[in-house]
Amino acid sequence: MSNKQLEICVGSWESAMAAQLGGADRIELCDNLAEGGTTPSYGMLLKCKKTLQIPFFPIIRPRGGDFVFSDDEFEIMKEDVIACKDLGCKGIVIGILRKDGSIDTERCAHLIDLARGLEITFHRAFDRCNDLKKGLEDIIGLGCHRVLTSGGKEYAFQGLEILKSLIIQAGPRISIMPGSGVKEQNLAQIAQETGAHEFHTTAKIKLEYGIDATTDLVFSTFETSIDKVAQLKQILSKI
């Protein structure tokens, strides 16, 4: 049996349920996916805790944009970590950079200390750090469990050689999880060429959900597809 795992990034309750029903191993729970993901609401966290059977890791990110945060934003992040731990979340997703593009090890260490006992994923802020090799060593030193990365490129399939080199550098010390643009059409290639064991995607499709009675405009959204998740899991099971 394959030991490869599939993490689904979701931005709504409907997508969280679709990820679970499709057979995902874990959820990255976000709000505002169009901005790269921000911290979900307390109500969403509570609903997921009461209902989901698979682990969900909330992202700790107070806003979109860059990953250099003010003192006030950092205070908000600390409170969000405490809330996630108090609710019984299994893990969190973090990422903070300094102005020079290096990993902000001091602030990250503070969040990790507050989250003691939870799994820690370092998100794609890593792809914007000024030195991926040095950044990876910093993240390993922090004690993170995995790094979500596209190899410094826009999409993971564009960074296959870099992802492979990061996985070799990491060895057994940390999991390198390819993400961004991972789809059923390229998942097998990404897995085979990088040697990764965990993979991250939204598995989303466009859905129309209503019409504005005054303008006749059709509202649409992107949600995780049960069928796509199941297909991705099936692909991984054969590798």
Side-chain angles (χ1 to χ4, degrees):
M1 179 179 290
S2 173
N3 65 346
K4 293 179 169 54
Q5 293 194 329
L6 180 66
E7 176 180 277
I8 301 296
C9 177
V10 308
S12 72
W13 170 246
E14 290 77 9
S15 286
M17 284 303 299
Q20 177 168 279
L21 291 171
D25 297 289
R26 182 177 61 249
I27 286 170
E28 182 191 60
L29 188 64
C30 304
D31 200 357
N32 298 314
L33 285 184
E35 296 185 35
T38 58
T39 306
S41 72
Y42 184 84
M44 177 66 122
L45 295 173
L46 190 59
K47 178 69 172 175
C48 289
K49 179 59 182 175
K50 288 181 176 179
T51 311
L52 293 178
Q53 281 79 53
I54 62 175
F56 63 94
F57 289 14
I59 191 170
I60 307 299
R61 188 182 179 209
R63 57 162 172 79
D66 66 16
F67 301 100
V68 180
F69 299 107
S70 69
D71 290 343
D72 289 330
E73 288 169 333
F74 185 55
E75 290 300 315
I76 292 169
M77 295 171 81
K78 289 192 287 185
E79 294 297 333
D80 284 334
V81 170
I82 293 169
C84 289
K85 185 170 183 179
D86 288 347
L87 273 173
C89 297
K90 300 296 184 183
I92 57 171
V93 182
I94 67 169
I96 307 176
L97 301 181
R98 300 188 184 99
K99 289 182 179 180
D100 66 359
S102 61
I103 305 296
D104 191 333
T105 51
E106 183 178 354
R107 281 183 162 183
C108 287
H110 195 115
L111 296 185
I112 291 168
D113 187 59
L114 290 174
R116 190 174 302 278
L118 307 187
E119 283 193 42
I120 307 295
T121 299
F122 197 98
H123 58 54
R124 288 185 65 214
F126 172 72
D127 289 320
R128 295 194 192 178
C129 77
N130 57 12
D131 184 332
L132 294 183
K133 290 184 178 180
K134 172 64 164 57
L136 179 57
E137 292 301 324
D138 287 340
I139 292 168
I140 291 171
L142 286 166
C144 294
H145 297 81
R146 67 186 55 79
V147 182
L148 170 62
T149 174
S150 55
K153 305 296 184 180
E154 184 175 0
Y155 299 112
F157 61 81
Q158 297 172 327
L160 295 180
E161 288 301 317
I162 298 172
L163 287 166
K164 182 178 179 180
S165 69
L166 291 170
I167 288 169
I168 292 170
Q169 177 186 342
R173 297 180 295 167
I174 195 170
S175 175
I176 304 296
M177 179 169 63
S180 183
V182 175
K183 300 179 180 180
E184 57 271 24
Q185 294 89 347
N186 59 32
L187 176 59
Q189 179 189 6
I190 293 171
Q192 290 164 352
E193 293 194 20
T194 65
H197 294 281
E198 297 184 275
F199 305 88
H200 172 101
T201 183
T202 58
K204 63 188 178 183
I205 57 173
K206 186 176 182 179
L207 297 175
E208 295 181 351
Y209 63 91
I211 300 176
D212 187 312
T214 60
T215 64
D216 291 331
L217 290 175
V218 177
F219 294 109
S220 63
T221 187
F222 287 92
E223 300 284 0
T224 295
S225 162
I226 296 173
D227 291 342
K228 280 185 174 288
V229 175
Q231 186 177 358
L232 290 163
K233 282 292 293 182
Q234 181 67 15
I235 293 167
L236 289 179
S237 72
K238 297 178 180 179
I239 300 173

